[in-house]
């Protein structure tokens, strides 16, 4: 399976940098020259500065309108770069990583997603974005709401990662981001590494594409791992990967259309009856009733690892909170603005034209 990871903005390029560390094809795009220089693993010729003519390499200061403009201006340069890296043929998936609450990623990602869909109609475009922390305030929430709306019209799936949910209490923000980014890359890289491994009951690229082609709805990845020597019941471990604490965002998994499960571990613990018990339960639980699965017995392995992908999700508290907060804010802002205009008119009413009075 051929995939290209494209990081956009600071958050997105940091995540792409970790993918580069584990040998994925990557590209890093930013309006901030400093942030691009700070990356460690994306090769220098794969780092693209955009919007230089409008912000001079200084970033867009969390303004998604500027981020959008920067991406539009330099889009043809980016498309040429992608062409030179990947060639025109057979790119299965573009993964676009970014932060929903900022400017370059939030503004630029929907523009790039749309261009990729037009240029590469047979490839999937999957957006992987971090949702803002509540404590960041209203602007990141509004940026996120705008970007969710735009991406839902152009991307095939949106993998939203709720920073609020994944942040462990006590961690400061930069430590928390570091851990969250690692979690994102670990799970997605584990899943991609298993796709296309030959075997009797394994997953291939077309299964993954089928699951992720979900008309711009939400997807999430779950994960559970256990020492094979301590494992009591594989069915329970599989179900754990679907439980709320294992997922990237607060979501009602029953609203999912498709699921995919990859199970990797020593052959003696991959017991068919335990696997099918969990698969049966989950197939009935999700709305679309379709779960793809791959089994990867590996005699060298000491741990059992379950990676789960759920797509087509439309009930998510993490997303609803953002949309409702942004909508309420917009409403009260418009009311306050109208009131200010009315008050201004009242205040200035009946004033003469002083130009006629002054000598
Ligand atoms: P941009 O460079 O203008 O696109 O802005 P950022 O990438 O800094 O995006 C800011 C948003 O992304 C904030 O709302 C943060 O919550 C989130 N964010 C920033 N850095 C990281 C990171 O390294 N990891 C994660 N998970 N989220 C981040």
């Amino acid at each position: 399976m051929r995939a290209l990871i494209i990081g956009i903005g600071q958050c997105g390029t940091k995540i792409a940098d970790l993918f580069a560390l584990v040998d994925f094809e990557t590209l890093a795009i930013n309006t901030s020259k400093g942030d691009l220089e700070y990356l460690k693993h994306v090769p220098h010729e794969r780092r693209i500065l955009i919007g230089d003519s409008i912000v001079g390499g200084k970033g867009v200061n969390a303004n998604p309108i500027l981020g959008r403009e920067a991406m539009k201006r330099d889009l043809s340069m980016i498309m040429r770069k992608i062409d030179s890296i990947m060639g025109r043929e057979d790119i299965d998936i573009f993964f676009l990583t970014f932060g929903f609450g900022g400017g370059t990623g939030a503004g630029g990602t929907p523009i790039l997603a749309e261009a990729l869909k037009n240029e590469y109609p047979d490839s999937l475009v999957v957006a992987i974005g971090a949702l803002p922390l509540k404590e960041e305030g209203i602007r990141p929430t509004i940026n996120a709401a705008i970007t969710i709306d735009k991406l839902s019209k152009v991307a095939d799936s949106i993998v939203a990662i709720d920073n609020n949910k994944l942040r462990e209490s006590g961690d400061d923000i930069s430590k928390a981001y570091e851990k969250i980014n690692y979690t994102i890359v670990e799970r997605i890289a584990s899943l991609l590494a298993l796709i296309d491994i030959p075997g009797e009951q394994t997953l291939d690229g077309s299964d993954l594409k089928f699951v992720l082609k979900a008309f711009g709805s939400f997807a999430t990845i779950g994960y559970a791992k256990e020492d094979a020597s301590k494992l009591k019941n594989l069915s329970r471990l599989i179900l754990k990967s679907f439980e709320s604490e294992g997922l990237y965002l607060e979501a009602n998994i029953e609203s999912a259309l498709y699921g995919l499960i990859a199970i990797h571990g020593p052959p003696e613990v991959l017991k068919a009856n335990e696997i099918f018990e969990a698969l049966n339960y989950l197939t009935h639980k999700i709305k679309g009733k379709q779960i793809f699965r791959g089994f990867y017995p590996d005699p060298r392995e000491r741990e059992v690892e379950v990676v789960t992908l759920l797509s087509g999700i439309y009930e998510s508290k993490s997303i609803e909170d953002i949309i409702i907060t942004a909508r309420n804010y917009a409403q009260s802002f418009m009311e306050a603005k109208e009131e200010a205009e009315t008050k201004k008119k009242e205040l200035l009413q009946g004033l003469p034209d002083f130009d006629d009075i002054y000598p």
Side-chain angles (χ1 to χ4, degrees):
M1 208 196 53
R2 293 185 81 216
L4 177 64
I5 317 279
I6 308 178
I8 305 136
Q10 191 191 23
C11 168
T13 53
K14 277 195 283 176
I15 295 171
D17 208 39
L18 284 181
F19 274 109
L21 174 65
V22 286
D23 290 336
F24 280 87
E25 294 283 2
T26 52
L27 190 63
I29 301 172
N30 208 339
T31 55
S32 159
K33 201 160 182 257
D35 286 347
L36 278 177
E37 280 166 5
Y38 176 83
L39 301 175
K40 293 199 188 89
H41 310 291
V42 175
H44 279 90
E45 71 281 8
R46 297 281 185 92
R47 303 178 190 185
I48 304 182
L49 182 68
I50 56 167
D52 197 24
S53 59
I54 32 181
V55 295
K58 293 198 170 69
V60 298
N61 201 13
N63 179 341
I65 311 224
L66 275 180
R68 198 182 299 164
E69 192 52 36
M71 184 64 82
K72 278 187 187 160
R73 286 195 186 204
D74 290 320
L75 198 52
S76 55
M77 170 176 69
I78 292 171
M79 298 307 276
R80 277 199 305 277
K81 185 77 190 177
I82 293 172
D83 194 29
S84 77
I85 298 172
M86 302 297 282
R88 301 288 314 179
E89 308 286 306
D90 292 340
I91 300 166
D92 294 293
I93 308 184
F94 292 100
F95 289 102
L96 310 187
T97 57
F98 65 102
F100 272 103
T104 304
T109 303
I111 302 292
L112 181 58
E114 188 176 12
L116 289 170
K117 284 301 307 177
N118 289 336
E119 282 281 316
Y120 299 86
D122 297 331
S123 309
L124 291 200
V125 173
V126 175
I128 303 176
L131 298 173
L133 289 169
K134 294 213 164 80
E135 71 204 52
E136 290 179 65
I138 190 71
R139 274 206 45 192
T141 303
I142 292 173
N143 295 349
I146 297 169
T147 306
I148 288 169
D149 182 39
K150 292 203 180 302
L151 272 179
S152 68
K153 296 174 182 126
V154 289
D156 290 291
S157 272
I158 304 170
V159 179
I161 291 120
D162 189 345
N163 277 340
N164 298 285
K165 181 167 189 284
L166 295 195
R167 181 184 188 181
E168 286 169 23
S169 57
D171 275 350
D172 71 37
I173 291 191
S174 59
K175 185 92 201 148
Y177 285 163
E178 210 177 293
K179 281 196 199 163
I180 295 171
N181 296 353
Y182 184 81
T183 305
I184 297 169
V185 175
E186 184 191 39
R187 291 186 190 183
I188 295 174
S190 298
L191 181 62
L192 295 180
L194 293 176
I195 300 289
D196 286 338
I197 291 183
E200 268 179 38
Q201 299 201 65
T202 54
L203 294 157
D204 63 24
S206 63
D207 298 329
L208 182 67
K209 284 175 82 172
F210 187 93
V211 171
L212 284 173
K213 199 170 172 56
F215 51 86
S217 55
F218 295 94
T220 187
I221 298 185
Y223 189 77
K225 192 159 75 173
E226 176 85 72
D227 245 357
S229 59
K230 291 192 190 131
L231 185 76
K232 291 208 184 74
N233 186 316
L234 181 56
S235 171
R236 214 169 296 152
L237 187 72
I238 296 171
L239 295 180
K240 200 168 145 203
S241 76
F242 274 89
E243 277 166 10
S244 174
E245 75 248 40
L247 300 178
Y248 281 151
L249 82 170
E250 305 286 353
N252 175 9
I253 70 159
E254 290 179 24
S255 75
L257 286 184
Y258 309 118
L260 180 147
I261 302 181
I263 306 165
H264 181 232
E268 63 277 12
V269 301
L270 302 193
K271 294 185 185 130
N273 59 333
E274 292 178 9
I275 294 175
F276 283 105
E277 186 189 328
L279 286 178
N280 241 337
Y281 174 80
L282 291 165
T283 307
H284 285 98
K285 196 167 174 79
I286 69 168
K287 208 156 235 166
K289 313 279 180 234
Q290 289 198 53
I291 300 218
F292 292 76
R293 75 258 176 160
F295 308 139
Y296 300 88
D298 182 348
R300 294 160 307 172
E301 197 49 70
R302 296 216 176 124
E303 287 181 320
V304 192
E305 185 186 51
V306 182
V307 192
T308 299
L309 168 66
L310 286 168
S311 71
I313 294 172
Y314 53 87
E315 283 177 28
S316 158
K317 186 166 181 327
S318 303
I319 305 292
E320 274 166 29
D321 279 355
I322 285 176
I323 302 294
I324 291 169
T325 308
R327 193 190 289 137
N328 289 347
Y329 175 81
Q331 253 164 15
S332 60
F333 182 84
M334 293 316 282
E335 279 164 22
K337 197 171 158 210
E338 255 173 51
E339 196 180 315
E341 274 171 17
T342 314
K343 285 264 155 64
K344 185 186 81 181
K345 273 193 202 137
E346 279 170 19
L347 179 71
L348 301 179
Q349 204 178 24
L351 266 189
D353 186 347
F354 286 99
D355 286 1
D356 295 338
I357 296 172
Y358 258 92

